[in-house]
Amino acid sequence: MKTQVYKIFFLIAFTAFMMGNAQIKISGRVMFKNKGISEVNVTLKDSYDGATTDSQGNFSFETSEKGNRIVTFTHQKYEEIQKSITIENQDILLGNIDLKEQISEIDAVVVSAGSIEASDKKRATTLLTPIDIYTTAGADGQISSALTYLPGVQKVGGTEGLFIRGGTGTESKIFMDGSLINNYFSNSVPGIAGRDQFNTSLFKGNIFSSGGYSALYGQALSGALMLESVDLPDETSYNFGISPIFLSAGFQKLGDNKNYSYGATAGYSLLSLMQKVFNFNTDFTEAPQGLNGDLNFRFKTKSGGFFKYYGMFNSNKMGVKSESLEPGYDFSLVKLNGKNTFHNLSFKQKFGKYLLNVGGSYSYNRSDLHFSTETNDLESNQTQLLTDGNYLNFKAVIERKINRISAVRGGIELNNTDENLNFETVQKHYKDLISSAFVETDLGFSNALSAKIGVRAEHSSFLDKNNIAPRFAIAYGLAKDWTTSLAYGLFYQNPESKYINSPANLGFQKSQHYIFQVQRASEGRTLRFEAFYKKYDRLIKTFNVTPDKEQNQQIQTALNNEGYGYAKGVEFFWRDNKKTFKNIDYWISYSYLNSKRDFLNYPVSLQPSFAAEHTLSAVAKRFIPEWKLGVNLSYTYAKGCPYYDIASTFENGNAINYTRNEGRMKDYNALNFSINYLPNIGKKDAKAFPVFVLSISNILGSKNVYGYNFSADGSRSSAIVPPVNTFVFIGAFISFGVDKTDDAINNNL
């Protein structure tokens, strides 16, 4: 009986408990722009009750909670919403809940018209990292050479520089951590291009802009390359390199607390041994040789600041002998003694909501050229062309984030140039201070729409003139992985100082860029189409002066700013990084360029001699783990450019330029091959990590021509050709303390 009473009591108590905690149903629909959103987490705050929306955005769940409560709605692509409710004894219908899109730095589209980035992997498809550059056959480990395999950059031999979309090599500028590098390339002699002076491993990434670049940079009519130096290394390391043409060694020391590092490298190169092995086109009376070294340190301050210093020194020599084009002389000779140094110091730190970047650089460059002739084994007196310059750059930028993808930044920049030139009757001292101020904003309206608006103002003390250059770009996400960008900007540049050899009323040269791009970027694959139009105004016009008639060495002297021109075209780029074919990374680029200019000593508007109408490049890389071997191929084709023999004369006191000879060069073709062997891959406890390299440039031996030299009267000519048609490089690079296995497998090194 007692047991039965207990059962009845328990049943009554349980029923009362259940009635006092009756389940209340909460339901509704989550919307964005009148469409239901799936996978939204709906929870009753401070409880375990909740649900996830279905494909139509509907949800429902039951709860026994009572009183004033809060329902939260969360989704990674939308801002979190909270809604207050009062739970009593009736079901609750919340109706439609409207979400707001969450602006995300990862998901938001980025303005990329005219630019290819290899820096922040969240915001851009990574292209041409240091590993990419080292493993691009034919690039010789040089950043500038590797960029010629991208759309927009012309393959030009015989002179250094980045020739971008119909622009000269001097119309592009290169920056390191925001500071201008005034002498990125080594000194050289006419007809032989200078090489990169900076170690590719120094940089962790880059932003290459073939047009429409940021207002933070200036003095470049065509494009800009912004290099980002590495921060602290992962660990202490030592390295050594050896080949028939150079020796190098270096180290990087990381502090015990990993808050500072310092390092240095040194190298020596000499080409004389290779002259005995290969049949060179160029007769080097003094084999090219160079001595270089660099020093760096980096450290973090206790307050979160970060200092970087980099210093570099380079000296090089060479002598060249060629058949003279002038009657009465057998040979022409030129000797070079060049020196260059560069120092860069940068600092960045956050102060609350603000980020400060300050940097300064100094460089000195000296090019000492001696010209002479040889007749019957007797050398004439030498004529010296001596140029030296000191260059200072200072830049300060302050930036404030507005939200996750919006920001505003502004600052100032000073560029001071002090140059001397001495050549026969021409002697000059050129000084100029370019003062600049700029402001720019990144505007993220949503994950699908963003814009970049900026303006830059400059004053040149030499020209005593000012300019204002607005820049604008906008990007829109068309669909998943697809974006489109549109960019416009004005760009100004001082006349090159080498043309300012007599008084002339000169001003800034000017270009306008219009760029449209469509891009699809997904993991491992990139597809880009870009169309562009560039309009040039106020280009420099010159006439020829010949101080050294024996050598036919001419100096072009500026007359005015009456030059003009245009460049227009379309570009295509496709990269597939091991997605379609296992362990194979490849890319293909094509550029169509239609360009004409009336500038320098051109008598009329002509297609520039450095602007190929069609350029096609293909690069392929395959790593074979079982063989511990990387195999790399590259190919470039460029339609032959025109060449001109232009002379100057005076009529009625006016300088007149006219074309004596013209023609078209043969099409450019080059197939390059390289292999990298890493014997210690997979070995445990290995202390050394060697990489053996074999590289063959222009393996088919194509006889490419870069242009032509003409005699003073135009009756004789000779082709400008590479120093050697096919070049073979063999070398070994050994690292101690850093395992390169992952780089080798994942990046084809």
Side-chain angles (χ1 to χ4, degrees):
M1 182 69 180
K2 189 180 292 187
T3 302
Q4 189 70 21
V5 173
Y6 286 156
K7 288 182 179 180
I8 295 172
F9 177 79
F10 176 77
L11 181 60
I12 294 172
F14 179 76
T15 301
F17 175 80
M18 291 300 295
M19 291 183 65
N21 294 273
Q23 296 290 300
I24 301 301
K25 182 180 179 181
I26 300 174
S27 60
R29 190 182 186 198
V30 181
M31 311 281 287
F32 175 69
K33 293 184 177 180
N34 297 321
K35 292 183 179 180
I37 305 299
S38 63
E39 303 298 324
V40 178
N41 293 318
V42 184
T43 59
L44 191 65
K45 194 172 182 179
D46 300 327
S47 78
Y48 294 101
D49 301 327
T52 302
T53 59
D54 61 18
S55 60
Q56 301 300 315
N58 297 311
F59 71 91
S60 67
F61 64 92
E62 293 182 340
T63 182
S64 59
E65 302 291 338
K66 296 290 184 178
N68 296 326
R69 307 305 295 261
I70 294 176
V71 181
T72 63
F73 303 84
T74 58
H75 190 284
Q76 61 180 359
K77 291 188 177 181
Y78 303 91
E79 293 183 3
E80 180 179 303
I81 295 293
Q82 294 187 349
K83 191 170 183 64
S84 299
I85 61 173
T86 300
I87 305 175
E88 294 178 337
N89 296 320
Q90 295 180 342
D91 292 345
I92 299 174
L93 178 62
L94 293 178
N96 294 335
I97 306 298
D98 293 320
L99 298 186
K100 293 182 179 180
E101 186 178 25
Q102 177 171 295
I103 297 178
S104 166
E105 186 175 5
I106 295 177
D107 296 328
V109 298
V110 178
V111 175
S112 57
S115 68
I116 296 178
E117 299 191 23
S119 51
D120 190 341
K121 296 183 181 181
K122 294 180 181 179
R123 297 177 64 84
T125 301
T126 302
L127 296 171
L128 300 195
T129 62
I131 299 298
D132 284 320
I133 294 166
Y134 283 127
T135 56
T136 298
D140 301 325
Q142 299 182 90
I143 298 174
S144 63
S145 295
L147 289 176
T148 63
Y149 294 94
L150 295 180
V153 184
Q154 297 285 290
K155 190 76 175 181
V156 177
T159 184
E160 61 279 350
L162 293 174
F163 292 77
I164 301 173
R165 291 179 173 172
T168 70
T170 58
E171 291 175 9
S172 59
K173 291 292 189 292
I174 302 176
F175 301 84
M176 175 179 177
D177 295 331
S179 294
L180 176 66
I181 302 176
N182 280 284
N183 297 100
Y184 181 81
F185 299 95
S186 64
N187 292 297
S188 190
V189 301
I192 299 179
R195 291 178 56 85
D196 291 20
Q197 296 190 101
F198 292 78
N199 186 346
T200 299
S201 298
L202 174 69
F203 305 104
K204 64 181 179 181
N206 59 75
I207 300 174
F208 169 60
S209 175
S210 53
Y213 60 88
S214 165
L216 272 64
Y217 306 93
Q219 287 294 303
L221 290 182
S222 292
L225 174 62
M226 286 73 84
L227 302 172
E228 303 173 75
S229 69
V230 298
D231 297 326
L232 295 172
D234 294 329
E235 54 188 308
T236 296
S237 64
Y238 304 87
N239 59 79
F240 179 75
I242 184 172
S243 80
I245 61 174
F246 74 81
L247 291 171
S248 67
F251 75 93
Q252 289 293 324
K253 172 66 176 178
L254 180 64
D256 295 336
N257 295 326
K258 296 188 176 181
N259 60 352
Y260 72 90
S261 72
Y262 58 90
T265 62
Y268 176 74
S269 62
L270 181 62
L271 200 63
S272 57
L273 179 60
M274 305 307 290
Q275 286 182 268
K276 299 178 181 179
V277 178
F278 297 102
N279 182 22
F280 274 67
N281 298 320
T282 302
D283 182 5
F284 288 106
T285 57
E286 184 176 357
Q289 60 179 303
L291 178 66
N292 62 83
D294 62 58
L295 175 69
N296 66 79
F297 70 78
R298 315 171 183 101
F299 69 88
K300 295 180 179 179
T301 66
K302 292 182 179 180
S303 59
F306 195 42
F307 280 96
K308 291 183 187 180
Y309 165 77
Y310 174 77
M312 175 271 292
F313 170 79
N314 179 47
S315 66
N316 64 319
K317 296 180 180 180
M318 74 176 76
V320 173
K321 180 179 180 180
S322 58
E323 185 177 353
S324 177
L325 297 176
E326 303 305 321
Y329 307 103
D330 295 336
F331 298 100
S332 297
L333 295 90
V334 58
K335 293 182 180 180
L336 165 73
N337 188 348
K339 293 181 180 179
N340 181 272
T341 184
F342 174 83
H343 303 270
N344 183 53
L345 179 65
S346 64
F347 171 74
K348 65 179 179 180
Q349 182 170 353
K350 284 186 176 181
F351 296 94
K353 296 181 179 180
Y354 296 89
L355 173 64
L356 176 66
N357 279 280
V358 179
S361 66
Y362 165 75
S363 62
Y364 169 77
N365 187 70
R366 178 185 176 91
S367 173
D368 189 3
L369 290 168
H370 291 263
F371 299 95
S372 61
T373 59
E374 182 180 303
T375 306
N376 298 325
D377 296 327
L378 295 176
E379 184 178 352
S380 68
N381 293 328
Q382 294 184 347
T383 301
Q384 184 184 35
L385 170 57
L386 177 64
T387 59
D388 63 56
N390 290 274
Y391 309 90
L392 283 168
N393 174 267
F394 173 80
K395 193 172 190 177
V397 183
I398 189 165
E399 176 178 330
R400 188 188 190 281
K401 281 277 191 179
I402 300 173
N403 56 38
R404 294 185 181 180
I405 61 171
S406 296
V408 62
R409 64 188 67 89
I412 61 171
E413 182 176 11
L414 302 173
N415 277 300
N416 189 75
T417 299
D418 189 338
E419 294 179 338
N420 290 282
L421 179 143
N422 289 282
F423 183 40
E424 290 291 283
T425 58
V426 178
Q427 282 142 14
K428 71 175 183 183
H429 183 197
Y430 174 83
K431 298 182 69 174
D432 188 24
L433 173 63
I434 301 176
S435 308
S436 309
F438 48 84
V439 63
E440 180 180 82
T441 181
D442 295 329
L443 300 175
F445 302 105
S446 69
N447 285 345
L449 181 64
S450 65
K452 184 187 291 288
I453 303 172
V455 63
R456 183 182 183 92
E458 298 176 333
H459 172 78
S460 166
S461 65
F462 178 84
L463 300 176
D464 194 23
K465 288 182 172 63
N466 306 305
N467 70 61
I468 297 179
R471 319 270 171 90
F472 171 79
I474 189 169
Y476 179 71
L478 298 172
K480 188 178 186 303
D481 300 330
W482 285 91
T483 61
T484 182
S485 297
L486 181 67
Y488 166 80
L490 290 182
F491 303 88
Y492 293 92
Q493 186 171 348
N494 277 40
E496 285 184 71
S497 60
K498 69 178 182 180
Y499 299 131
I500 304 174
N501 301 311
S502 63
N505 183 21
L506 303 175
F508 293 103
Q509 301 176 102
K510 175 185 175 183
S511 67
Q512 297 182 65
H513 297 189
Y514 302 84
I515 304 169
F516 175 74
Q517 178 201 97
V518 176
Q519 173 175 285
R520 184 183 188 275
S522 59
E523 185 178 356
R525 292 190 179 102
T526 302
L527 175 65
R528 295 165 58 98
F529 294 96
E530 198 156 281
F532 65 91
Y533 175 76
K534 288 200 302 185
K535 183 176 183 292
Y536 298 97
D537 292 297
R538 308 177 194 170
L539 297 180
I540 294 299
K541 292 291 294 179
T542 66
F543 69 97
N544 295 344
V545 177
T546 310
D548 186 350
K549 300 191 184 320
E550 289 185 2
Q551 283 288 320
N552 188 26
Q553 291 301 318
Q554 297 181 335
I555 289 181
Q556 293 191 51
T557 298
L559 282 172
N560 52 52
N561 278 99
E562 296 179 2
Y564 59 91
Y566 72 86
K568 57 185 177 181
V570 294
E571 297 170 354
F572 165 85
F573 179 80
W574 164 254
R575 183 171 186 177
D576 186 331
N577 191 350
K578 306 174 190 173
K579 298 298 290 185
T580 303
F581 306 103
K582 184 179 180 181
N583 290 330
I584 295 180
D585 174 21
Y586 72 94
W587 73 74
I588 299 170
S589 71
Y590 167 76
S591 300
Y592 166 73
L593 174 64
N594 180 355
S595 179
K596 282 191 175 182
R597 282 187 169 200
D598 181 2
F599 83 130
L600 297 183
N601 63 350
Y602 282 24
V604 293
S605 179
L606 299 169
Q607 178 185 345
S609 58
F610 47 79
E613 190 176 8
H614 301 281
T615 304
L616 174 69
S617 293
V619 174
K621 307 175 183 184
R622 167 73 192 277
F623 188 77
I624 309 171
E626 57 270 25
W627 293 356
K628 305 177 181 180
L629 197 70
V631 181
N632 313 300
L633 287 169
S634 71
Y635 171 75
T636 297
Y637 163 83
K639 183 175 177 60
C641 296
Y643 66 84
Y644 310 104
D645 171 28
I646 299 174
S648 298
T649 187
F650 284 88
E651 293 183 5
N652 300 322
N654 296 319
I656 303 296
N657 297 322
Y658 63 97
T659 303
R660 291 183 304 197
N661 299 284
E662 62 181 304
R664 185 170 291 275
M665 291 175 275
K666 61 181 292 188
D667 294 353
Y668 178 93
N669 285 275
L671 177 65
N672 310 296
F673 168 78
S674 70
I675 58 175
N676 312 305
Y677 175 58
L678 297 91
N680 281 0
I681 282 186
K683 289 186 178 181
K684 294 183 178 180
D685 303 322
K687 295 182 179 180
F689 305 94
V691 181
F692 297 96
V693 178
L694 168 64
S695 175
I696 306 176
S697 300
N698 191 19
I699 194 171
L700 300 180
S702 300
K703 295 182 179 180
N704 294 308
V705 175
Y706 297 149
Y708 289 88
N709 290 320
F710 289 86
S711 61
D713 61 6
S715 62
R716 302 178 66 187
S717 66
S718 63
I720 302 172
V721 296
V724 62
N725 291 329
T726 300
F727 189 76
V728 178
F729 172 83
I730 299 174
F733 303 88
I734 305 173
S735 298
F736 302 90
V738 176
D739 186 352
K740 296 292 186 180
T741 301
D742 289 339
D743 284 344
I745 295 174
N746 297 325
N747 299 299
N748 293 307
L749 177 58

